[in-house]
Amino acid sequence: MPVPWFLLSLALGRSPVVLSLERLVGPQDATHCSPGLSCHLWDSDILCLPGDIVPAPGPVLAPTHLQTELVLRCQKETDCDLCLRVAVHLAVHGHWEEPEDEKKFGGAADSGVEEPRNASLQAQVVLSFQAYPTARCVLLEVQVPAALVQFGQSVGSVVYDCFEAALGSEVRIWSYTQPRYEKELNHTQQLPALPWLNVSADGDNVHLVLNVSEEQHFGLSLYWNQVQGPPKPRWHKNLTGPQIITLNHTDLVPCLCIQVWPLEPDSVRTNICPFREDPRAHRNLWQAARLRLLTLQSWLLDAPCSLPAEAALCWRALGGDPCQPLVPPLSWENVTVDKVLEFPLLKGHPNLCVQVNSSEKLQLQECLWADSLGPLKDDVLLLETRGPQDNRSLCALEPSGCTSLPSRASTLWDDDLGALWACPMDKYIHKRWALVWLACLLFAAALSLILLLKKDHAKAAARGRAALLLYSADDSGFERLVGALASALCQLPLRVAVDLWSRRELSAQGPVAWFHAQRRQTLQEGGVVVLLFSPGAVALCSEWLQDGVSGPGAHGPHDAFRASLSCVLPDFLQGRAPGSYVGACFDRLLHPDAVPALFRTVPVFTLPSQLPDFLGALQQPRAPRSGRLQERAEQVSRALQPALDCYFHPPGTPAPGRGVGPGAGDGT
């Protein structure tokens, strides 16, 4: 965004300093080089991937020095961007390998080998820029004629115009060749700051410190910047000289901006929004947001700034149960601040509420109709659906799901697919008793079916319980150890799923989709999810618990453990893990106390020392404890022992896994 002249003059000094900067016209990047060299700039940016250092095949061009210079890229006479020009100085490094016959006889062996020495040198030079939140890489192609190729000597420079950066930002620059023959050069350039504006905190107050000269007269305005519609002014004053403006921290929102301009005719106004990334401002924004009911069907979200959000109706039962979203049959609707939204309601109800989510997190929930219709009622919400032949079915919304009912009541919402009904609790209970009588009539028929299904249940039990094995791929040796454990468990009445055996499906679906499908199928079948903890897994879990996201790490593309955390953590946080999850770790690799406390709400076993208890936990919840459990544990231990020996005591090398990551020990 072009920077008005007033801002540049304040940041860079008086007009002689500003006018001394070279001006570039036009938005296009460009390159030029020293006399005798030829250079070319690629049309588009490239991926910033330096790669490993490789041996040079002979003389190569290598960056030796980075030189920066501030210039102005101007769209208009007084609207310019600060731009960073970078000059990369190049030299010839390396030398031709002397042929064996020339070494032997001390002279030229074949005139053909002279041709490469007389050839020109070419290089692809990468410039990498990082200035939060911007990062980009450009590629410069350089060619040096043979006449300038002298080993160890500078051949000139190539200049890139230019990288745009904001006032006050820190720009980090790297330069290397592609392929990379030497360690990359790096340089840090601090752009001129905004000496006239500084934001500081003092307890609950925020200070806007404006260090403007005493003779400078200027106007200052605070306003809420709106994506749609004109800005909303909050405060305005004409000031002189240095000033300190005090704001309460609760007044900060992401769209709070500052407008400043010199008190001169036809002056250009500068707008700065310093709180866009401030966490306090984002918290204040949701605290200030409100839902307002306009009519029976229409409502809007009132907030100082625009924000990404979606909304849906939910039903809040009397007694403080969580509000249950009515999705489906309704769907989430995108919400725009101050834009009227409508739900197709025929009647209002005090138990109907609106939920507003942002980034899959509940931010607002208000029962808009309660103010006009009174407190919550002891009602049950009934859902009617219509099939393709107009056949209808009715079910009651309960915390455990939707219970089928052959009835109907007063309708709240209707469309072509079905309807929502509100039914008083006493009538609902009466209908429930009708279902009990109907169930008695069907009981006799069910008994005969039970006898017929007994054989099928026995066959299902013989198939074994489903077990999903999750682990962090710390290294290839640990993956082999996991594979040995999974193979040993398959010899028991267990159906084991592990990403090692599903690489094709994992690559096709992606780790997140593959894991969610496997976890859902395992839990629906009454199976168990096994979390196999290692130092890498503990580090990932701790990172998620601390930050809520998983940062970059040295994990392979098939590491489903990283993808699994997004769904595993809610099960533990909401208390659904006991009975469905089991933890395990290997002796000498990780102590159980190193596992984060949240995951120790389920049993965590050490292997192979606690194999009998571990195998017992993998059995069906109500299955009798088999007398062969110890025998099966010994069978698994024998199958696992070669892999453990290979992992902890590989021939000729120290045992891996010791002293690596949290909780790693020597097993003593």
Side-chain angles (χ1 to χ4, degrees):
M1 177 179 179
V3 181
W5 193 256
F6 176 56
L7 177 56
L8 283 176
S9 64
L10 288 175
L12 301 178
R14 293 295 178 183
S15 57
V17 176
V18 178
L19 294 175
S20 66
L21 297 182
E22 181 179 341
R23 295 190 181 190
L24 306 177
V25 180
Q28 294 80 15
D29 294 346
T31 186
H32 58 276
C33 44
S34 301
L37 307 185
S38 61
C39 52
H40 170 70
L41 173 66
W42 274 36
D43 295 335
S44 58
D45 291 357
I46 64 171
L47 293 177
C48 301
L49 300 174
D52 297 328
I53 296 178
V54 298
V60 293
L61 289 177
T64 59
H65 178 61
L66 293 177
Q67 186 176 355
T68 58
E69 177 187 4
L70 282 178
V71 296
L72 296 178
R73 172 176 281 172
C74 300
Q75 308 294 330
K76 299 178 181 179
E77 181 66 23
T78 59
D79 284 343
C80 302
D81 281 320
L82 267 183
C83 217
L84 194 61
R85 170 184 289 168
V86 181
V88 184
H89 295 266
L90 304 170
V92 179
H93 288 181
H95 55 83
W96 293 113
E97 291 291 338
E98 188 177 359
E100 291 296 329
D101 50 1
E102 186 172 334
K103 291 181 180 179
K104 182 175 181 180
F105 298 105
D110 188 350
S111 59
V113 300
E114 295 294 332
E115 293 181 3
R117 302 188 181 197
N118 296 327
S120 61
L121 287 182
Q122 294 182 344
Q124 291 186 332
V125 180
V126 178
L127 279 175
S128 173
F129 300 92
Q130 288 189 7
Y132 180 83
T134 304
R136 58 179 300 208
C137 284
V138 297
L139 183 64
L140 313 175
E141 291 185 331
V142 186
Q143 184 170 355
V144 179
L148 296 180
V149 177
Q150 297 182 11
F151 303 137
Q153 298 296 318
S154 174
V155 297
S157 62
V158 58
V159 179
Y160 168 71
D161 282 331
C162 56
F163 176 76
E164 295 181 9
L167 285 168
S169 63
E170 180 183 79
V171 183
R172 297 182 178 181
I173 310 167
W174 290 267
S175 180
Y176 50 89
T177 58
Q178 208 174 49
R180 188 159 65 99
Y181 302 117
E182 298 181 359
K183 181 178 175 62
E184 65 267 21
L185 293 179
N186 64 81
H187 177 78
T188 300
Q189 177 72 42
Q190 182 68 51
L191 268 65
L194 302 174
W196 57 275
L197 174 61
N198 182 39
V199 180
S200 62
D202 180 15
D204 290 340
N205 296 326
V206 176
H207 296 319
L208 302 180
V209 182
L210 296 102
N211 295 322
V212 180
S213 61
E214 294 183 358
E215 66 273 13
Q216 178 70 60
H217 301 274
F218 62 96
L220 182 70
S221 175
L222 300 180
Y223 65 94
W224 288 344
N225 189 32
Q226 303 296 302
V227 175
Q228 297 179 344
K232 296 181 179 179
R234 307 293 298 169
W235 183 87
H236 166 78
K237 273 190 178 181
N238 293 333
L239 303 170
T240 302
Q243 295 285 338
I244 297 179
I245 311 298
T246 301
L247 303 175
N248 192 290
H249 75 282
T250 58
D251 296 330
L252 303 184
V253 289
C255 62
L256 180 63
C257 299
I258 304 167
Q259 187 179 77
V260 60
W261 66 96
L263 296 178
E264 300 172 356
D266 301 325
S267 60
V268 178
R269 300 194 174 201
T270 299
N271 298 278
I272 305 296
C273 302
F275 307 108
R276 286 175 177 169
E277 307 298 331
D278 193 320
R280 297 170 301 176
H282 285 272
R283 288 195 297 269
N284 292 339
L285 176 58
W286 280 110
Q287 291 174 358
R290 293 291 182 270
L291 300 177
R292 287 200 293 123
L293 183 66
L294 303 178
T295 65
L296 172 65
Q297 296 178 325
S298 61
W299 61 279
L300 60 79
L301 174 62
D302 189 4
C305 315
S306 61
L307 42 80
E310 54 184 8
L313 284 176
C314 66
W315 179 264
R316 186 178 179 187
L318 184 66
D321 291 332
C323 199
Q324 293 180 264
L326 303 181
V327 180
L330 300 179
S331 60
W332 289 99
E333 299 288 342
N334 291 329
V335 179
T336 302
V337 173
D338 293 337
K339 181 179 179 180
V340 177
L341 294 178
E342 292 186 356
F343 284 121
L345 292 171
L346 300 180
K347 295 181 181 179
H349 195 282
N351 296 38
L352 276 179
C353 308
V354 176
Q355 287 184 339
V356 179
N357 282 9
S358 181
S359 301
E360 299 184 357
K361 181 180 179 182
L362 178 63
Q363 298 287 359
L364 283 177
Q365 176 179 299
E366 292 189 25
C367 301
L368 300 178
W369 294 270
D371 292 339
S372 58
L373 300 179
L376 298 179
K377 295 183 178 180
D378 193 13
D379 286 357
V380 174
L381 188 69
L382 308 182
L383 169 63
E384 180 190 49
T385 58
R386 301 174 186 173
Q389 281 78 35
D390 202 28
N391 53 326
R392 305 186 180 190
S393 61
L394 198 66
C395 68
L397 185 65
E398 295 180 326
S400 59
C402 212
T403 304
S404 297
L405 282 175
S407 180
R408 59 170 55 193
S410 175
T411 184
L412 295 177
W413 170 82
D414 199 356
D415 70 356
D416 295 334
L417 298 178
L420 297 177
W421 315 78
C423 177
M425 181 62 75
D426 55 350
K427 294 182 180 180
Y428 169 64
I429 294 176
H430 176 75
K431 303 301 181 184
R432 292 292 299 270
W433 276 109
L435 288 180
V436 172
W437 286 108
L438 180 61
C440 292
L441 296 176
L442 297 176
F443 180 72
L447 282 176
S448 60
L449 289 177
I450 291 175
L451 296 176
L452 293 175
L453 294 175
K454 189 173 183 180
K455 289 185 178 180
D456 293 336
H457 282 298
K459 292 180 180 179
R463 292 178 60 211
R465 191 183 189 189
L468 175 60
L469 187 59
L470 301 177
Y471 67 99
S472 172
D474 291 7
D475 52 53
S476 58
F478 187 74
E479 282 193 303
R480 288 192 293 270
L481 186 56
V482 173
L485 175 62
S487 299
L489 294 178
C490 284
Q491 305 304 316
L492 309 177
L494 287 173
R495 291 177 289 119
V496 180
V498 63
D499 65 341
L500 282 171
W501 301 339
S502 305
R503 289 293 167 85
R504 180 175 298 178
E505 294 84 356
L506 193 68
S507 299
Q509 301 176 19
V512 175
W514 182 87
F515 168 75
H516 279 268
Q518 293 294 325
R519 171 192 165 276
R520 181 173 60 252
Q521 179 179 347
T522 300
L523 297 183
Q524 285 177 349
E525 295 177 359
V528 60
V529 179
V530 180
L531 301 179
L532 189 56
F533 289 99
S534 63
V538 170
L540 272 176
C541 293
S542 300
E543 183 179 345
W544 267 84
L545 292 173
Q546 180 177 357
D547 301 329
V549 296
S550 181
H555 296 267
H558 303 298
D559 188 2
F561 190 88
R562 173 184 293 269
S564 71
L565 290 178
S566 62
C567 199
V568 167
L569 280 176
D571 287 345
F572 281 85
L573 292 172
Q574 298 174 18
R576 300 193 301 262
S580 300
Y581 286 78
V582 169
C585 58
F586 289 105
D587 294 325
R588 295 183 292 167
L589 180 62
L590 189 75
H591 195 279
D593 291 343
V595 176
L598 177 65
F599 296 94
R600 296 202 300 272
T601 56
V602 301
V604 179
F605 303 98
T606 57
L607 307 180
S609 61
Q610 294 182 327
L611 261 175
D613 294 334
F614 174 67
L615 297 182
L618 297 186
Q619 288 184 330
Q620 294 286 354
R622 290 176 296 276
R625 197 170 183 87
S626 173
R628 299 181 56 195
L629 198 59
Q630 183 63 36
E631 178 183 343
R632 290 174 176 174
E634 293 175 359
Q635 176 185 346
V636 173
S637 180
R638 287 193 300 269
L640 192 59
Q641 194 59 46
L644 288 169
D645 293 339
C646 183
Y647 182 76
F648 288 102
H649 304 290
T653 59
R658 299 186 181 184
V660 179
D666 58 6
T668 59

